Amino acid sequence: GTNKSAKKHMPPLQSVRILNQLREHIRYLHHSLRTEEAYVYWASSFIRCHGLRDPGEMEKAEIEVLLMALVSERNVSSFTLQQALSSLLFLYGKVLGVELR
C-alpha cells in the first residue's frame, strides 16, 4: 500500500491575516529568516501596489503590473525581480492554494 503519512500537510493556520499566514507557511517549511523577511516584503509591496486589495481577488495580471513597475520605475536587478516573483508564487501556491500559469 501507499504511505499516506509521507505527505506533509500544513497544520491549521493560526492567523486570518494574509501576511501572517505567509509567515506561518515559511516557518513551517523551515525557510530562513531572511527568506521570510524578503517574501513578506514583496507580498506587502504587491498588496500596497494594488491599493490594499486582497491577493485572493487578484491574479497573474496584477503580478505582472508589479513586476513591470519594478523594471521600468525602479530598474531592479534580475535577481531582485526573480525574488519578487518567487515570493508571489509562494504566496499564491502555498498560502492561497492557487496555481498561476
Side-chain angles (χ1 to χ4, degrees):
T2 58
N3 182 2
K4 291 183 180 178
S5 65
K7 266 191 170 181
K8 287 192 175 182
H9 294 287
M10 269 292 294
L13 292 169
Q14 302 300 309
S15 181
V16 295
R17 299 192 62 196
I18 193 86
L19 295 179
N20 290 337
Q21 290 178 4
L22 177 60
R23 286 186 179 94
E24 286 183 48
H25 275 82
I26 292 167
R27 291 173 187 175
Y28 180 75
L29 296 170
H30 305 290
H31 289 292
S32 73
L33 180 59
R34 288 184 57 80
T35 298
E36 178 180 335
E37 290 167 349
Y39 279 25
V40 169
Y41 171 81
W42 288 117
S44 177
S45 296
F46 175 62
I47 293 165
R48 283 193 319 273
C49 173
H50 293 291
L52 304 180
R53 282 176 60 201
D54 179 349
E57 298 173 0
M58 297 187 277
E59 296 183 6
K60 193 174 173 183
E62 286 88 354
I63 291 175
E64 290 170 357
V65 166
L66 174 65
L67 298 177
M68 293 307 292
L70 291 175
V71 171
S72 62
E73 297 166 21
R74 291 187 37 198
N75 194 28
V76 300
S77 70
S78 59
F79 174 82
T80 300
L81 199 61
Q82 184 58 51
Q83 185 186 60
L85 178 59
S86 295
S87 302
L88 296 176
L89 291 176
F90 185 94
L91 173 68
Y92 276 86
K94 301 290 187 199
V95 181
L96 299 173
V98 175
E99 189 175 328
L100 298 172
R101 294 181 192 274

